Amino acid sequence: MIVEAAAILVAVAFMVLVGYLVPVLIQVHKAVAESEQLLAKMNQDLPPLIGELRAMSQHLNDLTEQ
């Protein structure tokens, strides 16, 4: 009788844990997907921006030399 009650208690605790973790894992999955999109956009936009910054600094160096 005590073993059966303990087994039921463990089963209920496991169900509560799973019921709690499923929404959390769904939120984590959404956050990871959004992060991947952001990183892809940054990888696309950053190299031209760095090139423009280098050109600006070169022009600024040329102006200071004059």
Side-chain angles (χ1 to χ4, degrees):
M1 181 72 175
I2 294 177
V3 175
E4 293 172 355
I8 291 173
L9 185 63
V10 169
V12 169
F14 182 73
M15 288 174 43
V16 169
L17 178 66
V18 169
Y20 174 75
L21 286 181
V22 167
V24 170
L25 290 175
I26 290 171
Q27 286 296 105
V28 168
H29 177 51
K30 288 179 183 178
V32 167
E34 290 176 3
S35 296
E36 287 176 353
Q37 290 176 351
L38 177 64
L39 286 174
K41 182 157 177 55
M42 285 178 63
N43 282 336
Q44 194 175 26
D45 293 345
L46 205 55
L49 182 61
I50 290 173
E52 291 176 15
L53 286 172
R54 285 182 180 156
M56 273 180 45
S57 66
Q58 183 62 43
H59 290 305
L60 189 59
N61 287 339
D62 293 343
L63 284 174
T64 56
E65 287 178 4
Q66 292 176 2

